Amino acid sequence: MNWLFKEEPSHYSFDALVKDKKTVWSGVKNPLAQKHLRSVKKGDRIFYYHTGDEKSVVGVAKALADAYTDPQDPPAKRTSWTSGR
């Protein structure tokens, strides 16, 4: 499956992901986004989109694990996932 992940480059740029090699995505609160993110599976391709001035896909990553419960969400309603280069 292919996914489009949007991120403000001043918050966490694709270059930061390349440098870090992997990251945990958590804290997504939008219910519609959560619905789709629960479907992320290990190996899925992620097109990394910079919002703001760039407004373009700037790189490709992959999901390193299936979506899982956000450890920062005590009611366990949100989903997290790990991606990397």
Side-chain angles (χ1 to χ4, degrees):
M1 177 72 82
N2 293 319
W3 299 97
L4 180 68
F5 284 12
K6 298 181 351 179
E7 184 64 74
E8 181 69 41
S10 61
H11 180 256
Y12 192 75
S13 69
F14 183 73
D15 288 341
L17 176 60
V18 170
K19 180 182 174 199
D20 296 344
K21 296 191 173 58
K22 71 177 183 177
T23 193
V24 173
W25 296 84
S26 60
V28 175
K29 297 176 184 175
N30 179 289
L32 183 57
Q34 279 294 320
K35 177 183 173 184
H36 293 292
L37 294 174
R38 287 185 189 99
S39 300
V40 173
K41 301 291 183 205
K42 181 178 180 177
D44 285 355
R45 187 171 23 185
I46 299 166
F47 294 98
Y48 201 106
Y49 180 90
H50 276 178
T51 58
D53 292 336
E54 285 186 68
K55 291 186 176 75
S56 65
V57 173
V58 294
V60 179
K62 70 176 178 176
L64 299 179
D66 290 353
Y68 52 90
T69 302
D70 187 339
Q72 298 175 8
D73 181 35
K77 293 181 181 176
R78 296 194 307 245
T79 304
S80 295
W81 61 96
T82 303
S83 65
R85 279 279 302 135

